[in-house]
Amino acid sequence: MKNYQVIWNGPVYTPSGIGKASREYALALHRQGVDVKVIADRGRARPDGGTSTRTLRILAKKPYTRKKPKVLIYHRLPHSLDIKKARAQFDYLLLNAVWETTKIPSDWFPNINRFDAVCVPSAQNKTAMINSGVKVPVYIVPHGVHAGTFTPSNKKLFPGLPKGTFVFVSVFTFQHRKNPELLLRAYWEAFSSKDRVALVIKTSGFGTRETGAWISSRIQAYKKKLGFGSKTAPIHLITGYTSPGKLKEIYRTGHAFVLPTRGEGVGLPFLEALSSGIPVIATGWGGHMDFLNSRNAFLVRYKLQPPAVSMKRAISRRFSHLFAQAGQLWAEPDLSSLKRQMRYAYEHPDICRSKGQQGRMDMQKMSWNRAGMTMRQVVEHIIRGKK
């Protein structure tokens, strides 16, 4: 069944994680032979991450078909869609959404239950949707990774590091949910300048105010507050826009990827790190647990708690209006557990290599084409069900 048109409405030109996922889903559907038209924001940043800009531009210029049923897949906040207007224009409405706590925001209702179905990328997300009161069908459509782009054969970014240096890599936006506080404290406490170790952090802030210099100053102020002097293990901070080519090199620089996140709908950097052949040190809760396990990762213990609890000591953007609503919980990773896992990885590079090889094999099964096929199957299931 391909006698329909999918209208993909999402931030396909933005360089963020959600932007990358949006364009990859749209392109994957297109590769499945689906008639896809893209509705995108104008004047936004160029896409990155191994996608075809030319194909996206072509899909954005396509006309609406008159003789086919039209399926809107809305990859934006559910309450931002005029449902009545959309119902008059499209035959089916699907929401593609992602969330990072145990409960979705209250302002997503009642619109979210006015869609025909909701697509989410992980089991944790599906549970959160259902427990929050979503009544329409919820389908898991997992993210993917380009195993031919993020590969162990990519060159390393820092070939000049001292011989024998064990490198931890972390890639995240500088926000409280990503838990930069715990990452920094664990690293400073677990290692010293005497250890042959380095931490490479690729991060960026939000808006023009949160520059690389601002992020660096926040980190230094936090370091001073904790009482650490100058003789700490080195950190290499990379901020701002990073090209797709450079991002591939950053992953390959590492012997282990580390991110003690408090909540992830998926965690694209985990997928990209594993595909690059390096193991992951991660919190044992969240959407990433669909593909992380003891064979490809070092999992950090945690407890679920209200997000507002840890926001009191945040050094980065909190987004409290989203993540501190009544009834929401997310993971608070254990400092001692994170330190032990980082130290264990450092002392056992052979185990890191083994886990990295397993991660690489796992990611070769998680292509974006697989995601596109799953999304197409959901669309056609919805169409058949409403006939």
Side-chain angles (χ1 to χ4, degrees):
M1 179 199 299
K2 293 183 181 177
N3 188 33
Y4 57 89
Q5 183 180 47
V6 164
I7 293 82
W8 187 276
N9 188 328
V12 298
Y13 296 141
T14 64
S16 63
I18 191 170
K20 180 182 289 188
S22 195
R23 57 183 166 268
E24 293 292 359
Y25 276 128
L27 289 168
L29 277 172
H30 171 68
R31 290 193 297 270
Q32 287 289 312
V34 175
D35 179 3
V36 178
K37 173 180 172 54
V38 166
I39 298 176
D41 299 328
R42 294 181 178 179
R44 302 299 295 272
R46 62 178 178 268
D48 58 8
T51 64
S52 172
T53 306
R54 183 173 177 273
T55 300
L56 286 171
R57 302 292 186 195
I58 292 172
L59 297 181
K61 292 179 180 179
K62 285 180 68 172
Y64 290 104
T65 58
R66 293 184 177 181
K67 296 183 179 180
K68 294 181 181 179
K70 292 189 284 294
V71 182
L72 174 67
I73 301 182
Y74 196 68
H75 196 191
R76 302 181 190 276
L77 297 176
H79 58 285
S80 64
L81 180 67
D82 185 330
I83 295 287
K84 184 177 180 180
K85 183 177 179 181
R87 283 290 178 197
Q89 189 175 5
F90 306 106
D91 299 283
Y92 307 92
L93 304 181
L94 273 68
L95 174 70
N96 195 53
V98 62
W99 193 244
E100 295 88 6
T101 72
T102 58
K103 186 177 181 182
I104 64 176
S106 58
D107 57 3
W108 286 18
F109 292 96
N111 254 19
I112 195 167
N113 279 323
R114 293 171 177 165
F115 287 83
D116 294 309
V118 178
C119 295
V120 296
S122 64
Q124 183 270 332
N125 269 210
K126 182 173 182 177
T127 299
M129 292 282 173
I130 294 172
N131 290 346
S132 298
V134 175
K135 303 301 182 184
V136 297
V138 181
Y139 298 92
I140 297 177
V141 182
H143 281 23
V145 65
H146 290 293
T149 299
F150 296 98
T151 170
S153 64
N154 291 330
K155 67 179 183 178
K156 298 183 178 182
L157 182 66
F158 291 120
L161 286 172
K163 188 176 180 180
T165 299
F166 186 98
V167 181
F168 291 101
V169 167
S170 194
V171 177
F172 59 91
T173 51
F174 199 66
Q175 59 172 304
H176 177 66
R177 178 170 61 83
K178 302 292 185 176
N179 210 354
E181 304 92 351
L182 195 71
L183 171 62
L184 293 165
R185 182 176 176 180
Y187 178 68
W188 288 326
E189 289 188 4
F191 304 99
S192 73
S193 57
K194 297 179 181 179
D195 293 304
R196 287 196 170 188
V197 67
L199 172 60
V200 177
I201 296 177
K202 163 64 189 85
T203 191
S204 57
F206 300 87
T208 56
R209 176 175 171 268
E210 297 180 9
T211 62
W214 180 84
I215 293 172
S216 181
S217 69
R218 298 291 292 175
I219 291 174
Q220 291 306 313
Y222 181 60
K223 183 178 181 181
K224 182 178 180 180
K225 180 180 178 180
L226 293 177
F228 290 101
S230 59
K231 294 183 179 180
T232 52
I235 293 177
H236 299 269
L237 189 64
I238 304 170
T239 58
Y241 172 77
T242 300
S243 69
K246 188 174 182 180
L247 182 60
K248 293 185 295 184
E249 295 174 7
I250 290 173
Y251 285 120
R252 277 303 300 147
T253 301
H255 295 88
F257 180 91
V258 56
L259 184 62
T261 176
R262 293 181 166 101
E264 296 291 331
V266 180
L268 278 172
F270 294 136
L271 292 165
E272 293 166 353
L274 289 177
S275 184
S276 301
I278 64 172
V280 164
I281 302 173
T283 312
W285 182 85
H288 49 280
M289 292 307 296
D290 281 8
F291 55 87
L292 292 189
N293 52 63
S294 60
R295 292 177 291 109
N296 60 27
F298 302 91
L299 300 176
V300 178
R301 294 202 316 266
Y302 67 93
K303 62 180 179 181
L304 291 178
Q305 70 175 31
V309 174
S310 57
M311 288 182 181
K312 299 173 184 178
R313 55 182 182 273
I315 66 171
S316 54
R317 183 81 68 104
R318 294 175 176 84
F319 293 103
S320 56
H321 64 292
L322 296 173
F323 299 120
Q325 295 187 12
Q328 289 181 331
L329 300 172
W330 65 15
E332 192 60 36
D334 179 74
L335 173 63
S336 296
S337 178
L338 176 58
K339 287 163 58 177
R340 282 196 300 272
Q341 295 290 38
M342 293 179 73
R343 192 77 202 182
Y344 186 84
Y346 168 75
E347 293 171 353
H348 297 85
D350 54 333
I351 295 179
C352 284
R353 285 191 293 271
S354 177
K355 287 179 181 284
Q357 291 168 359
Q358 180 63 52
R360 171 65 182 173
M361 289 190 291
D362 294 341
M363 293 305 101
Q364 288 177 313
K365 304 172 187 176
M366 293 190 63
S367 69
W368 277 108
N369 284 337
R370 169 176 170 259
M373 180 178 66
T374 305
M375 182 70 79
R376 177 175 62 81
Q377 290 171 345
V378 169
V379 169
E380 294 177 1
H381 179 76
I382 295 301
I383 293 174
R384 285 193 297 268
K386 290 198 71 175
K387 282 186 175 180

